[in-house]
Amino acid sequence: MQSNIWDDELASDDEQGADAQQRLEKISAIKQSLDRVTSLEQTIPLLIQLGNSLVEDGQFEKAIAAYDNAIAIDPDDSKAWHHRGVILLELAKITEAIIDFDRALAIDPQDRESWYQRGIGLARLQRYEAAIVSFDRMIAIEQNDERAWLHRGISMAEIGNNDVALVCYNRVIELDPYNYLAWCNRGFVLNRTDRDRAALVSFDRAITIKPADFYAWYGRGIVLDKLAKSDDAIVSLDRALAIDPDFQEAWNYCGTILQRLGRSEAAITYFDRALAIKPDFYLARNNRSIALQSLCRYDDTVAEIDRGLEIEPDNYLAWFQHGHALLKLAKYAEAADSFDRALAIKPDCHAALYNRGNAFSFLGEHDLALTSFDRAVAIKPDYYDAWNYRGYTLMNLNRDKAALESFDRVIAKQTSNYFAWNHRGIILGKLGRNEEEIAAYDRAISIDSTLIDAWYNRGRVLHELGRHELAVSSLNRAVVINPDLYEAYNLLGISLRQLNRSEEEIAAYDRAIAIQPDYHPAIYNRACCYAIKCQIDLAIEYLARAIQFVGVGEAFALAKASQNENPNTYRDLAREDADFDLIRHDSRFISLIDR
């Protein structure tokens, strides 16, 4: 891409009108001369002159007709073929233009202008190697033609031959130190080869020569961004946009910098400008979706990605991001479908497999989740997040030993992975290896002292082992970190009971109920406390509230221990619970229990 901005002031309407009149008079004079000539030798140069004058006046089809007449008279006139090729190139009839340049060069192989125009046409067709051959032939004829060196450099850069491109641009600058295009293109080559400070010097030199070169300001912004000078980069990009407000790449690039700086709202404004100019600008649309996701606008993110997928339906990264946004919206089945689409395009996308596994986990499809995690770690054996969630999935499948192996795989390489240590502890507890379980929680906490789950789990196992002082200490740490952890308050109350700290016990149950009014283990335990104090009305009230929850299930372990090892309801639990002995004679209690 090159700048088409020029410093010259536009001519006034009167001046333009005068110029047009002069062109028409010139055309008329040439036509009169053609009417007077009698020899073909005189006719051909006049037809070429006529064609050139018609081109100047914008009458391209008539110009081609003039060149055609010259060629009809003398098919071996190289200049007629050349000029017709130039106008065909101008009209974007590139293949036809190249044929004309080939005809001209077959007649005159030393015609460097035809070699030049042929190279330009081939480059426009992205046939860069062939274009380089043309520029080389031109240089062989005239070594100091800076145009040939410039466009040879451009074609070399396009095929990735940056070192040779740099040599070409340096040659142009040697021939003309004020060639701003050479300085600008040199900057882009240096940028691509990570010679950023030298690139910055080149862009600055281009801007000094031509301050209105928006592309140089754009390149300067890119380099400043790479040099971690984000604010200066934005200033440069804004200068480019002030010169050319329709430069969508600059709007997009500036938006990506703002997004990286955490200025997502401003970034979206820039992406919107880019898309207003070019609605099918996929990169800007993709970047806009990333900015929306960073603002937790997940519905908008999905809608934006959907629009992008209309442009590029086979972009696996877009399907991946689509799935990720749907995960955030808890649309797990749709998310899994999106990850499937990504994997259909790129089967070895380990991140898509990992997130697909998470989607299936949320859906309770643990076998499918395990398959996804297995595939992810097979592709990327050091993908430790996948190993962690593989272990977690195996836990859900009650395959504890296999789960332990997964977490051990993580810990072997990432000794500070607190997730693996915490879940290793849970499994060790299920396997009855309580001392190792506690040690695992201790290790997790030593890595992250704010890890609530580890403090809670540590408190739970210490309580089960009868180490109530230590259990209370752990549970207190858990509720300091998360004051809304009602399960921890309830278990804290149970441990405090074993230490005969009844006032603190009651306060703990009350806190649990205040946070979660329907948390029946704490409601039952509070009823026990009122019964012990013989506060019959409150004991009956809280017991009745607990009894309405029919199944006790796992909550039994969090309620007061009972002689009945397998109670089905809180009514069964209370029937044999010694805490209710002082009120057992009360008719309301009898009615509640025997109902």
Side-chain angles (χ1 to χ4, degrees):
M1 183 176 182
Q2 297 179 10
S3 171
N4 290 318
I5 306 295
W6 301 98
D7 292 334
D8 298 337
E9 294 183 1
L10 294 173
S12 67
D13 290 342
D14 289 343
E15 290 171 334
Q16 290 179 26
D19 289 344
Q21 183 61 37
Q22 289 175 3
R23 290 193 298 271
L24 291 173
E25 290 173 358
K26 184 178 179 181
I27 292 167
S28 178
I30 296 170
K31 287 180 177 179
Q32 291 173 12
S33 297
L34 280 167
D35 290 338
R36 291 194 297 268
V37 297
T38 56
S39 70
L40 293 177
E41 288 183 358
Q42 293 176 312
T43 301
I44 291 172
L46 284 172
L47 285 169
I48 292 173
Q49 287 181 40
L50 177 61
N52 293 345
S53 296
L54 289 165
V55 167
E56 290 176 5
D57 199 50
Q59 300 182 54
F60 301 123
E61 295 301 329
K62 289 182 179 180
I64 290 172
Y67 299 136
D68 285 344
N69 287 335
I71 291 167
I73 295 168
D74 184 2
D76 291 330
D77 191 293
S78 65
K79 288 185 174 58
W81 287 109
H82 169 80
H83 286 291
R84 196 178 83 149
V86 171
I87 193 59
L88 288 170
L89 193 61
E90 181 70 21
L91 294 172
K93 297 179 179 181
I94 302 172
T95 301
E96 296 173 55
I98 291 170
I99 292 170
D100 280 6
F101 295 133
D102 284 342
R103 290 292 298 270
L105 290 164
I107 298 163
D108 182 6
Q110 295 299 109
D111 180 4
R112 64 189 176 104
E113 288 302 319
S114 288
W115 283 117
Y116 174 68
Q117 295 292 347
R118 181 179 186 271
I120 295 295
L122 289 164
R124 286 173 64 179
L125 292 175
Q126 299 183 358
R127 294 169 56 189
Y128 299 113
E129 289 87 350
I132 290 166
V133 171
S134 282
F135 297 131
D136 283 345
R137 290 295 298 270
M138 184 181 179
I139 291 167
I141 297 167
E142 175 50 70
Q143 293 185 357
N144 293 331
D145 193 314
E146 65 187 70
R147 297 172 304 160
W149 285 106
L150 177 67
H151 288 280
R152 184 177 190 266
I154 292 170
S155 292
M156 286 291 184
E158 289 289 350
I159 63 174
N161 200 336
N162 293 309
D163 290 336
V164 175
L166 189 60
V167 169
C168 292
Y169 296 138
N170 286 340
R171 177 63 175 154
V172 177
I173 291 165
E174 182 182 322
L175 294 167
D176 179 10
Y178 295 98
N179 190 310
Y180 74 94
L181 285 174
W183 283 110
C184 182
N185 290 335
R186 181 179 185 269
F188 280 104
V189 168
L190 290 167
N191 170 56
R192 281 194 295 271
T193 54
D194 296 322
R195 288 174 273 186
D196 299 319
R197 296 193 181 280
L200 187 60
V201 171
S202 275
F203 289 127
D204 283 343
R205 187 63 184 271
I207 290 165
T208 300
I209 298 166
K210 185 175 175 58
D213 182 11
F214 69 92
Y215 206 49
W217 282 109
Y218 173 65
R220 186 176 187 270
I222 292 172
V223 171
L224 287 167
D225 182 43
K226 286 180 68 179
L227 293 171
K229 297 181 178 180
S230 301
D231 291 334
D232 292 338
I234 292 170
V235 170
S236 276
L237 293 166
D238 281 341
R239 284 293 296 271
L241 290 166
I243 298 165
D244 183 4
D246 292 332
F247 190 13
Q248 69 263 14
E249 289 89 350
W251 286 111
N252 177 64
Y253 197 98
C254 201
T256 62
I257 297 174
L258 290 165
Q259 171 63 21
R260 199 184 323 121
L261 293 173
R263 296 162 59 184
S264 300
E265 293 286 1
I268 289 170
T269 300
Y270 276 74
F271 298 137
D272 285 344
R273 288 295 298 268
L275 291 165
I277 299 162
K278 186 176 172 60
D280 63 347
F281 188 7
Y282 176 77
L283 188 58
R285 199 162 291 286
N286 181 66
N287 288 332
R288 188 176 189 274
S289 72
I290 293 170
L292 288 167
Q293 186 155 338
S294 72
L295 294 170
C296 301
R297 292 168 55 183
Y298 300 116
D299 284 314
D300 291 336
T301 301
V302 172
E304 189 65 50
I305 296 172
D306 283 338
R307 285 190 283 270
L309 286 166
E310 291 175 6
I311 303 166
E312 291 194 18
D314 293 330
N315 189 304
Y316 82 93
L317 280 175
W319 283 112
F320 171 78
Q321 290 165 356
H322 195 258
H324 195 267
L326 289 166
L327 269 183
K328 294 291 187 180
L329 291 169
K331 296 180 178 180
Y332 304 122
E334 294 174 57
D337 288 341
S338 289
F339 294 129
D340 281 341
R341 291 292 297 269
L343 290 163
I345 300 163
K346 187 174 174 59
D348 62 346
C349 181
H350 55 271
L353 286 163
Y354 167 70
N355 282 281
R356 180 177 180 266
N358 286 331
F360 282 132
S361 289
F362 283 117
L363 291 169
E365 299 282 357
H366 300 302
D367 287 319
L368 292 173
L370 182 60
T371 299
S372 287
F373 294 132
D374 281 343
R375 284 179 60 191
V377 297
I379 294 166
K380 185 175 172 58
D382 61 348
Y383 197 179
Y384 296 113
D385 283 345
W387 281 108
N388 266 334
Y389 281 91
R390 179 181 185 272
Y392 183 75
T393 301
L394 287 163
M395 287 173 63
N396 286 320
L397 292 168
N398 294 315
R399 294 170 58 184
D400 295 327
K401 290 184 179 179
L404 189 61
E405 289 172 2
S406 258
F407 293 126
D408 284 346
R409 177 74 176 258
V410 176
I411 291 166
K413 295 294 184 180
Q414 292 186 339
T415 56
S416 296
N417 193 305
Y418 58 82
F419 183 95
W421 280 110
N422 182 54
H423 285 82
R424 186 177 193 273
I426 295 170
I427 296 170
L428 289 167
K430 290 174 71 176
L431 296 173
R433 294 158 61 179
N434 298 122
E435 295 304 326
E436 293 176 76
E437 176 187 7
I438 294 168
Y441 298 141
D442 286 343
R443 187 63 184 271
I445 291 164
S446 71
I447 297 163
D448 182 359
S449 61
T450 66
L451 190 60
I452 301 167
D453 287 350
W455 283 113
Y456 176 77
N457 289 332
R458 185 177 188 272
R460 175 187 49 74
V461 67
L462 288 166
H463 166 77
E464 291 169 0
L465 294 173
R467 304 177 193 173
H468 298 296
E469 288 284 3
L470 292 173
V472 167
S473 177
S474 282
L475 294 166
N476 273 326
R477 286 295 296 271
V479 297
V480 166
I481 298 165
N482 182 4
D484 293 329
L485 192 61
Y486 55 88
E487 299 98 327
Y489 278 110
N490 181 63
L491 188 55
L492 177 62
I494 297 171
S495 284
L496 287 165
R497 164 174 290 220
Q498 302 304 315
L499 298 172
N500 295 316
R501 293 158 61 177
S502 59
E503 295 302 322
E504 294 173 75
E505 174 194 1
I506 292 168
Y509 298 142
D510 286 344
R511 179 64 176 162
I513 296 166
I515 298 165
Q516 180 55 269
D518 291 336
Y519 189 53
H520 44 86
I523 295 171
Y524 179 85
N525 289 335
R526 191 67 180 90
C528 292
C529 292
Y530 283 125
I532 291 170
K533 292 178 175 291
C534 213
Q535 293 178 284
I536 300 175
D537 291 343
L538 288 170
I540 297 297
E541 176 189 336
Y542 274 79
L543 180 58
R545 282 175 60 187
I547 284 173
Q548 70 178 312
F549 299 99
V550 177
V552 178
E554 292 182 4
F556 173 58
L558 299 174
K560 171 72 173 60
S562 167
Q563 293 175 3
N564 186 339
E565 293 183 359
N566 295 295
N568 292 315
T569 68
Y570 283 108
R571 181 176 285 110
D572 295 332
L573 190 58
R575 185 174 288 115
E576 299 182 11
D577 192 335
D579 283 348
F580 292 100
D581 285 352
L582 292 177
I583 67 168
R584 200 172 297 280
H585 63 282
D586 189 280
S587 60
R588 289 169 296 176
F589 179 83
I590 295 169
S591 174
L592 195 58
I593 294 301
D594 292 342
R595 186 177 303 167

